Amino acid sequence: MAAAEVHDAAAALAAFHESRAGVRGLVESGVTTVPPIFLTPTAPPPPQQESPAAAFAIPTVDLSLPRPDTVALIRAAARSCGFFHATNHGVPAGVVASAVSAARAFHEQPRAARSAFYSLESGGGAVAYSTLPNAQRAGAPLLPGRGARARPGRLPAAWRDALREYHRALAGFGKEMVGLLSEALGVGAERLEEAMRVEGWLMACHYYPPCPEPARVVGSLEHTDPSLFTVLAQDGIGGLQVRRDGDGDGDGAEWVDVAPVPGALLVNIGDVLKVVSNDELKSVEHRVVIKSTQDARVSIALFFNPANRDKSDLLGPLPGLVTPEKPALYRSFTLPEFISSRREYGHSRSSIERFKVNSSQ
């Protein structure tokens, strides 16, 4: 990209942020073509062009089954595709629906009302409402075709209360999931919790507005999650895809649609748990493509991570998973060190290779 084009892209990005309207503001303005700062040079295929892998289904785990059966299903799913739908999870359907509706309502309120919350600062406990670049393209930012992610901090009570109630309900589900995943690793139900005190400490509410040219943008670039595991609630629009059967460079990979399952919560393994499990469990790349020119997609991701995140708290493969036959594949590191590496690598690149034993990076 020429210097002039980079300058133009930077100016366009500055103007976009200055409007404080987010991607939703573009829809409201009646645009019929996608602005250049949102275009990707290698857009995913149009949604209607399904790959041969489209018949593959993400596993579903019924949490009402006898516990040994549930653990076995989670183990199989976490070792194979890294994703599974959890049904009969105990979180009231009304709580989930109210949270998704609240996230939608926040983004669809009048521009003047929501712009008061627009901020590029992502730290702290306050709401962070913005559209941040998820990659650099030849020196210029590439924006996702999604609206803001928001934390339920300073949000008005009309939306805050529903999101907080959802967060409280997910705390119990997350605790149960920690025990199930720990058992799936064969180290006992309490081991993960004892090692790192797991909690859901970041909730992202994503809004993907309808797009006039869905084949020319990405909702979010391919990435793995910087978490132990992530729990996703979503509406019925769809658009999430996971990478299947490819090598580390992506050769031969196929992107598989993750069709929403009514009433289910979607769980996926993150990079931290991949490390802690000494590569027993898979953290799989996923992305979001825009499915509709008419309807917005709303999802809520709650990221579960160690509460032990001081500079003195070390993460690494659990001792019970390290043997002479399978030595530790990763060195120990702190969560701040890991988060810093993710920021350096950017949204679309996993940084865990940096922590591999004998890594040259």
Side-chain angles (χ1 to χ4, degrees):
M1 181 177 288
E5 291 176 300
V6 172
H7 179 270
D8 290 345
L13 177 63
F16 173 80
H17 287 315
E18 187 176 351
S19 74
R20 305 177 68 86
V23 180
R24 172 74 185 176
L26 297 176
V27 176
E28 293 168 335
S29 71
V31 296
T32 57
T33 59
V34 177
I37 58 173
F38 290 90
L39 297 179
T40 175
T42 55
Q48 65 270 21
Q49 295 180 5
E50 296 183 346
S51 75
F56 174 82
I58 296 298
T60 295
V61 177
D62 183 347
L63 298 186
S64 69
L65 293 173
R67 192 172 182 93
D69 296 337
T70 300
V71 169
L73 289 170
I74 288 176
R75 180 186 299 115
R79 285 179 171 178
S80 58
C81 66
F83 277 76
F84 58 91
H85 297 284
T87 60
N88 292 312
H89 43 67
V91 181
V95 171
V96 179
S98 293
V100 172
S101 294
R104 182 183 298 276
F106 173 81
H107 290 286
E108 294 182 352
Q109 66 180 312
R111 170 177 171 172
R114 69 176 186 271
S115 66
F117 298 94
Y118 196 89
S119 172
L120 299 182
E121 297 295 328
S122 58
V127 60
Y129 160 55
S130 62
T131 298
L132 297 174
N134 57 16
Q136 289 292 121
R137 176 189 55 199
L142 170 62
L143 287 176
R146 70 179 178 206
R149 54 175 59 196
R151 293 190 184 95
R154 294 184 294 106
L155 287 173
W159 302 293
R160 182 185 63 234
D161 292 348
L163 291 170
R164 282 183 170 172
E165 178 60 28
Y166 175 76
H167 189 275
R168 283 192 291 266
L170 261 290
F173 172 79
K175 184 176 181 179
E176 176 71 7
M177 191 54 55
V178 171
L180 290 166
L181 286 165
S182 192
E183 283 191 63
L185 285 171
V187 295
E190 304 300 323
R191 186 66 183 94
L192 277 178
E193 179 62 21
E194 291 171 350
M196 54 195 71
R197 292 192 304 115
V198 181
E199 65 177 9
W201 52 272
L202 173 63
M203 187 162 73
C205 302
H206 290 143
Y207 181 89
Y208 301 83
C211 178
E213 300 177 290
R216 303 188 70 197
V217 301
V218 291
S220 70
L221 291 175
E222 57 268 23
H223 65 282
T224 54
D225 284 353
S227 60
L228 275 162
F229 62 92
T230 306
V231 180
L232 186 78
Q234 58 183 324
D235 60 19
I237 297 299
L240 179 65
Q241 295 183 332
V242 300
R243 190 189 292 272
R244 179 171 178 257
D245 292 336
D247 60 26
D249 295 325
D251 292 337
E254 295 176 301
W255 286 101
V256 183
D257 286 331
V258 181
V261 173
L265 294 170
L266 185 66
V267 180
N268 68 277
I269 306 303
D271 282 351
V272 176
L273 189 51
K274 175 180 169 68
V275 169
V276 169
S277 73
N278 207 27
D279 275 1
E280 285 293 312
L281 307 184
K282 294 182 67 174
S283 176
V284 176
E285 284 191 330
H286 49 284
R287 69 183 185 187
V288 175
V289 297
I290 306 300
K291 285 285 190 179
S292 178
T293 60
Q294 301 296 325
D295 299 309
R297 174 183 185 264
V298 177
S299 66
I300 302 176
L302 184 58
F303 300 90
F304 285 84
N305 256 320
N308 299 340
R309 49 183 183 269
D310 292 334
K311 292 183 178 180
S312 60
D313 295 316
L314 293 176
L315 295 171
L318 288 175
L321 301 175
V322 177
T323 66
E325 293 75 26
K326 188 176 182 182
L329 300 176
Y330 301 91
R331 66 172 177 84
S332 296
F333 55 89
T334 66
L335 197 59
E337 184 182 4
F338 172 68
I339 292 173
S340 176
S341 72
R342 286 285 300 209
R343 289 173 178 160
E344 178 183 339
Y345 274 56
H347 175 78
S348 61
R349 291 179 61 201
S350 173
S351 63
I352 60 173
E353 292 296 317
R354 165 181 289 187
F355 304 105
K356 278 207 165 181
V357 174
N358 298 325
S359 172
S360 60
Q361 296 185 15

